[in-house]
Amino acid sequence: MTTAPLPHHPVAVVGAGLGGLTLARVLHVHGIRAALFDLDAAPDARTQGGMLDIHDDSGQEALRAAGLHEEFLDRVHTGGQAVRVLDREGTVRFEESDDGTGGRPEIDRGELRELLLGSLPADTVRWGAKVTDVRPLDGGRHRVTLADGTGFTTDVLVGADGAWSRVRPLVSAARPAYTGVSFVEADLADADVRHPGSAEVVGAGMLFALGPGRGFLAHRETDGSLHVYTAVTAPEEWLDGIDFTDGEAAKAAVLKEFDGFDERLRALVADADGALVPRRIHALPAGHRWDRVPGVTLLGDAAHLMSPFAGEGANLALLDGAELGLALAAHPEDTEAALAAYEARMFPRAAASAAESARGQDLLFRADAPLGLVEMFRGRDD
Ligand SMILES: Cc1cc2nc3c(=O)[nH]c(=O)nc-3n(C[C@H](O)[C@H](O)[C@H](O)COP(=O)(O)OP(=O)(O)OC[C@H]3O[C@@H](n4cnc5c(N)ncnc54)[C@H](O)[C@@H]3O)c2cc1C
């Protein structure tokens, strides 16, 4: 009995996050078709949540390459670049409004993803397609197996599948490690009406309210809600001891870590609507890289997961996707040259950002917090 050959895709991308979608878009602009596979059942299967500031020299550069910069600017959250830094007593130690010249406009993550998705032919992404196995074949090709038992082969396999990438083991044995920081995320809906005190303390953009080893990082979203990252430097097991199915008990357990913080800050958790969401922050080793492996590469978090304390991860994913697309378009007959050229630029860029993220983590949670952050913002303005 002969079995039918598997479908073949010249370029296959695992993961339709910001990085994978940008790659597909840039290839599309250059007349190259990519097939994307994502485990989410549908584009709206998960709320995308959160605001992202998109940097002029990385994320916005990528959107220019994708021919989407104008559309991006139309979706920017005016006022979102405002920033406030408070100490734990609630005293404002630094404040800056958004005068529109910041070079880091804010966009809702879901809107950015929608913009990228809408710019691709409708059948580019196969949803509900969880990759469970990837194997090298001869000549740099790969065979990919999905959870439903189907599969395909490809000449160029791109792992854009985030922190816990299934593709990464083809090139590297590295695994993300816990950074020592745990987040508990909270949302306050319709803040101006339902939570005016919290709306005022967060302001129009981003709030950092910090003490030694902990703090509240919060921002206003485009729908008028507040999104709060409660950050605690804690052992990896700390979150295991909290029952997140019991909302009030979870709030009390988290707030125990914030004794001595001003009541207006504690209210960001005490008054939260809906369930609190735990999240441990992991990172790959700074400077993670690999030797060239024929026919496969990684981008975004799959390549260089880092803590979010430099606000670079999504920007890098966008730029990686754009640069990989441009490299493949520039070397249509020589995939290996394209992948090598892409990696040669990506590795040092990611290493520098990973180091910056690690420095950002130290600075935010220093014993004299929030002084380090205040000095950083003042220095940026000088
Ligand atoms: C709390 C927090 C706050 C952050 N804030 C910022 C910020 O302000 N600014 C910033 O620039 N960055 C920020 N980041 C980082 C940013 O979110 C990531 O760096 C960025 O989303 C990475 O994009 P990506 O495309 O590489 O991966 P992802 O966005 O993780 O996308 C990966 C995709 O792959 C899919 N996938 C995973 N496994 C499989 C599989 N086996 N098969 C098929 N599909 C799969 C997933 O469903 C997903 O759609 C933050 C991160 C966190 C955790």
Side-chain angles (χ1 to χ4, degrees), residues 15 18-19 38-39 52 109 129 131 160-161 229 300-301 311-315:
L18 296 177
D38 200 288
L39 59 79
L52 295 172
R109 180 192 284 266
V131 168
D161 48 344
Y229 299 110
D301 280 3
E312 293 279 358
N315 282 280

Side-chain angles (χ1 to χ4, degrees), residues 34-199:
L36 268 69
F37 298 84
D38 200 288
L39 59 79
D40 282 350
D44 56 359
R46 273 182 300 138
T47 55
Q48 297 295 310
M51 300 297 293
L52 295 172
D53 52 344
I54 303 300
H55 306 173
D56 190 41
D57 57 355
S58 51
Q60 290 189 56
E61 198 54 40
L63 291 165
R64 285 186 197 100
L68 296 171
H69 194 250
E70 291 297 315
E71 288 91 332
F72 158 74
L73 291 178
D74 288 344
R75 290 168 171 78
V76 159
H77 174 207
T78 314
Q81 290 181 83
V83 61
R84 315 185 79 202
V85 183
L86 274 60
D87 59 25
R88 65 181 160 174
E89 285 81 29
T91 308
V92 179
R93 306 293 288 263
F94 178 85
E95 187 157 33
E96 190 171 71
S97 59
D98 180 0
D99 62 3
T101 63
R104 296 184 161 206
E106 293 237 344
I107 187 167
D108 182 278
R109 180 192 284 266
E111 277 198 53
L112 181 55
R113 194 173 188 232
E114 235 172 70
L115 170 64
L116 288 162
L117 249 181
S119 73
L120 292 168
D123 60 350
T124 305
V125 184
R126 187 168 144 199
W127 300 102
K130 180 180 181 176
V131 168
T132 51
D133 191 50
V134 283
R135 273 161 208 244
L137 302 171
D138 292 344
R141 291 179 313 128
H142 286 84
R143 188 177 72 200
V144 177
T145 306
L146 305 177
D148 65 4
T150 64
F152 60 87
T153 58
T154 181
D155 300 321
V156 180
L157 175 63
V158 181
D161 48 344
W164 305 102
S165 172
R166 282 277 179 173
V167 180
R168 188 189 300 127
L170 288 172
V171 301
S172 158
R175 290 202 33 97
Y178 178 58
T179 59
V181 178
S182 289
F183 275 10
V184 176
E185 296 187 36
D187 289 289
L188 290 92
D190 197 9
D192 288 332
V193 176
R194 299 192 52 244
H195 306 284
S198 294

